[in-house]
Amino acid sequence: MKIIEFFKRPRNLYLSIVTMLIVVFGLSSITFSYYIEDSSDSDQVMKVKTINTVIQTDDLESDEITLLPGETKVINIKVISNNDYPNDYKLYYVGEDVAVTSDKEIKNTIDTKESLDYELTFINNKEEVNIVKLGIANGYLGATIEITGNEIK
């Protein structure tokens, strides 16, 4: 009986409704906090896409070119971008007493899913067999690209 008389007064009715809403919202926020992942998790790692721009040729079985003394060898290569974004690259070779030229100027940037063709000429200036390694170094647009040999221009 005392409870019914308590709720008959308008002021007490509003007070009890407000109290009930506060309790319901408080309990629901506590309950949902167990099911929602914490956004300040320090174990989260940002994933960066790797650049996948490669050299392809039918003239070589590996990245090495064997040149006889004084030999000149012409190799056709394709630079292929398997990326969803443009990127920078540099073609390079590792070897001594060898001259490498291209039939046209080598672009520094390759577009999305683009393929570029080049004809490279290798001239061995040694009087003995020379092994030259051919490579590509990739980087994001505008980044500095470090190479471990001589750049082919």
Side-chain angles (χ1 to χ4, degrees), residues 83-101:
N83 303 306
D84 296 329
Y85 47 87
N87 67 286
D88 289 343
Y89 73 95
K90 286 185 181 182
L91 293 177
Y92 67 91
Y93 66 95
V94 178
E96 294 179 14
D97 291 331
V98 65
V100 181
T101 58

Side-chain angles (χ1 to χ4, degrees), residues 8 12 22-23 33 36 47 76 80 90 93 99 120 153:
K8 283 186 179 179
N12 292 341
I22 291 173
V23 169
S33 67
I36 298 174
K47 294 180 182 175
N76 294 310
I80 301 170
K90 286 185 181 182
Y93 66 95
L120 302 179
K153 296 184 178 185

Side-chain angles (χ1 to χ4, degrees), residues 44-98:
Q44 292 178 350
V45 177
M46 186 172 100
K47 294 180 182 175
V48 178
K49 289 187 176 186
T50 57
I51 299 172
N52 187 6
T53 301
V54 295
I55 301 172
Q56 192 176 51
T57 181
D58 294 332
D59 298 337
L60 299 174
E61 293 181 17
S62 70
D63 63 344
E64 292 184 346
I65 303 158
T66 304
L67 299 168
L68 299 174
E71 181 182 13
T72 299
K73 207 177 247 190
V74 177
I75 296 173
N76 294 310
I77 66 165
K78 283 187 178 198
V79 178
I80 301 170
S81 172
N82 297 315
N83 303 306
D84 296 329
Y85 47 87
N87 67 286
D88 289 343
Y89 73 95
K90 286 185 181 182
L91 293 177
Y92 67 91
Y93 66 95
V94 178
E96 294 179 14
D97 291 331
V98 65

Side-chain angles (χ1 to χ4, degrees), residues 17 28 36-37 41 57 64 73 88 95 108 111 124 146:
I17 290 172
S28 65
I36 298 174
E37 185 177 335
D41 187 5
T57 181
E64 292 184 346
K73 207 177 247 190
D88 289 343
N108 291 330
D111 286 328
N124 185 6
E146 300 289 328

